[in-house]
Amino acid sequence: MIWTALILSVGLGASAAWIIPTDSKTFKYLLAFSGAFLFGTLLTHMIPEVFHEGAMNMGWWIMLGFGVQLMLDYLSEGLEHGHFHSHGNAVPWLAFLGLFLHAFIEGMPLNHNGAHGHDHSQGTFLWAIALHKLPIALLVTGALRKAQIPISTIVLIVVMFALATPLGATLSNSSNIAEYAPQMLAVAIGLLLHVSTTILFESSQNHQFNLIKLIFVIAGMALAAWMSTSLNL
C-alpha cells in the first residue's frame, strides 16, 4: 500500500507537469490544498497520537524534526514547500539531496502502528504525505523541463524521489529501529509542521489569501479533520 500510493502520487505529479505550468494559479491552489491537508492531519490526528504514545517528551522530538528541516532547507532551497531556484542548465544535485533526505525521513513512521492500533501505512498520514508529494513532483519535473535537462536525468530524479519515502518506511522496520517508532513519528511531524506552515504562509502574495485560495485551504483542513474523525484513521 505504501509503495503503491507514494509512487503513484509522484508519477501523477510528474505527468501533470506536461499539463499544469508551475507558475500557474492551478499549481498554487494545488500546493495550498496539499499544505492545508497536511497541516490539518498533523493537528487533528498525528500530534495527539504521538503525545498519547510518548507522553510529554515527544515535544522535544518534534522540535528536533523542525530543526532538521531548517537545516535541510539549506540543501533543498525550499523544494519541499514549492520553491525551485534555477541553476541555469545545471542540475542542482545538492538541493535534490536535501529533498531526498526529507522524503526518506518522513517515510520512516509509515510501517508502524500508532496509538489505538492506527495503521500509518493505510491511514490519513499516508494520504497526507502522498498528497504533499504530488505538487512537489510536478514542480521538480516542470522546472527541470523548463531548464532543458535531458529527459533521462529527469526520470532518474523523479524515480529517486518516488522511492525515497517508501525506502524510509521499509528500512525503519528493522528490529533495531522499530522500537523508536514514536520518536521517528515525532521527528517526521516536526519536519512536516515546518513544511506545511511554510506552504500556508507563502501561498499568497503579501501574506493575504485571495478568496479562491482561501477556499482551497479551508477545504484541505476540513478534509483532514473529517478523515481523522469520521473515518477514525
Side-chain angles (χ1 to χ4, degrees), residues 41-63:
T41 300
L42 294 174
L43 289 185
T44 61
H45 180 53
M46 305 315 301
I47 292 177
E49 177 173 308
V50 78
F51 276 102
H52 183 275
E53 290 183 349
M56 295 304 294
N57 67 338
M58 288 296 101
W60 295 96
W61 291 97
I62 293 175
M63 284 197 297

Side-chain angles (χ1 to χ4, degrees), residues 50-167:
V50 78
F51 276 102
H52 183 275
E53 290 183 349
M56 295 304 294
N57 67 338
M58 288 296 101
W60 295 96
W61 291 97
I62 293 175
M63 284 197 297
L64 174 62
F66 198 94
V68 168
Q69 184 56 47
L70 284 173
M71 291 186 289
L72 288 178
D73 266 4
Y74 283 103
L75 295 177
S76 67
E77 302 177 358
L79 273 172
E80 302 93 332
H81 40 81
H83 291 278
F84 188 95
H85 299 280
S86 176
H87 293 253
N89 292 328
V91 177
W93 288 109
L94 194 60
F96 286 122
L97 174 62
L99 179 65
F100 299 151
L101 288 173
H102 165 88
F104 182 87
I105 295 171
E106 72 183 3
M108 293 183 72
L110 282 173
N111 255 339
H112 306 286
N113 291 338
H116 311 298
H118 293 155
D119 186 356
H120 295 154
S121 69
Q122 300 183 33
T124 314
F125 187 48
L126 171 63
W127 298 114
I129 292 178
L131 186 58
H132 161 57
K133 294 174 82 67
L134 194 153
I136 305 307
L138 192 162
L139 170 70
V140 167
T141 307
L144 289 175
R145 287 184 66 238
K146 190 174 182 180
Q148 298 182 331
I149 302 299
I151 188 66
S152 58
T153 303
I154 297 176
V155 170
L156 173 64
I157 291 171
V158 170
V159 169
M160 291 172 64
F161 179 49
L163 295 178
T165 301
L167 279 176

Side-chain angles (χ1 to χ4, degrees), residues 142-227:
L144 289 175
R145 287 184 66 238
K146 190 174 182 180
Q148 298 182 331
I149 302 299
I151 188 66
S152 58
T153 303
I154 297 176
V155 170
L156 173 64
I157 291 171
V158 170
V159 169
M160 291 172 64
F161 179 49
L163 295 178
T165 301
L167 279 176
T170 300
L171 294 180
S172 69
N173 208 30
S174 68
S175 58
N176 293 332
I177 301 177
E179 60 181 301
Y180 299 104
Q183 289 84 357
M184 289 189 295
L185 178 59
V187 170
I189 286 172
L191 261 74
L192 295 171
L193 265 179
H194 179 284
V195 169
S196 60
T197 51
T198 302
I199 289 173
L200 293 178
F201 281 122
E202 294 184 348
S203 62
S204 60
Q205 198 159 357
N206 300 323
H207 301 285
Q208 294 181 348
F209 287 102
N210 62 43
L211 180 59
I212 298 177
K213 196 168 293 181
L214 178 60
I215 291 172
F216 274 89
V217 169
I218 293 174
M221 290 185 179
L223 179 61
W226 177 76
M227 290 184 69

